[in-house]
Amino acid sequence: MNNSKKVDRISVPIFMLLHVSLLFSSLSGICSKMAAFQKFLSLPFLWWYITVLIIMFAYAIVWQQILKRISLSIAYANKSVGLIWGMLWGGLIFQQKITWNMILGAGVVFMGICLVVTFDE
């Protein structure tokens, strides 16, 4: 079996759904950080905390549907993209510095994902 057939078995809509769900899941990190800036049990804190729970609940449902359609190893390898989204959100929303080491690390993560997804068994 060549590599192109392995990649073709993962439908593009499911692969896109996987990455959209990972993007959506990364929003929980933003909400949890926003909750951390609030006074404990205040209304803004509860708003952000409940938003985290809703995001994670929805993500769990979508994740289970994705796992019905692709292998766990491929789905789990792609979860590391959430780290990259977290880095981007940190820079865009919280003005955290993105270093060259972070960019290099993101590149290594993407190369790892490509290797796992295209690996010929």
Side-chain angles (χ1 to χ4, degrees):
M1 171 190 277
N2 68 25
N3 290 342
S4 65
K5 288 183 182 177
K6 178 72 174 175
V7 173
D8 290 341
R9 287 195 298 165
I10 303 169
S11 71
V12 173
I14 294 299
F15 195 72
M16 295 300 294
L17 178 62
L18 171 63
H19 280 272
V20 168
S21 71
L22 294 170
L23 168 65
F24 185 68
S25 172
S26 72
L27 297 176
S28 69
I30 296 170
C31 295
S32 63
K33 190 162 186 166
M34 296 301 286
F37 292 141
Q38 309 304 320
K39 184 179 176 188
F40 183 64
L41 294 181
S42 66
L43 278 172
F45 172 85
L46 293 174
W47 164 259
W48 290 113
Y49 186 74
I50 290 169
T51 304
V52 169
L53 295 177
I54 292 169
I55 289 171
M56 295 315 295
F57 178 77
Y59 171 71
I61 292 170
V62 172
W63 177 253
Q64 293 303 315
Q65 297 306 308
I66 290 169
L67 289 181
K68 288 181 181 179
R69 291 160 179 84
I70 63 175
S71 73
L72 177 62
S73 61
I74 292 172
Y76 201 79
N78 281 271
K79 279 189 78 146
S80 57
V81 170
L83 299 172
I84 296 167
W85 282 116
M87 179 180 69
L88 291 173
W89 295 139
L92 292 172
I93 297 172
F94 301 107
Q95 286 74 45
Q96 295 174 339
K97 185 178 179 184
I98 298 175
T99 65
W100 283 107
N101 287 341
M102 294 168 75
I103 294 168
L104 178 62
V108 169
V109 167
F110 276 121
M111 287 189 324
I113 290 170
C114 290
L115 286 174
V116 169
V117 171
T118 60
F119 182 73
D120 191 14
E121 294 178 353

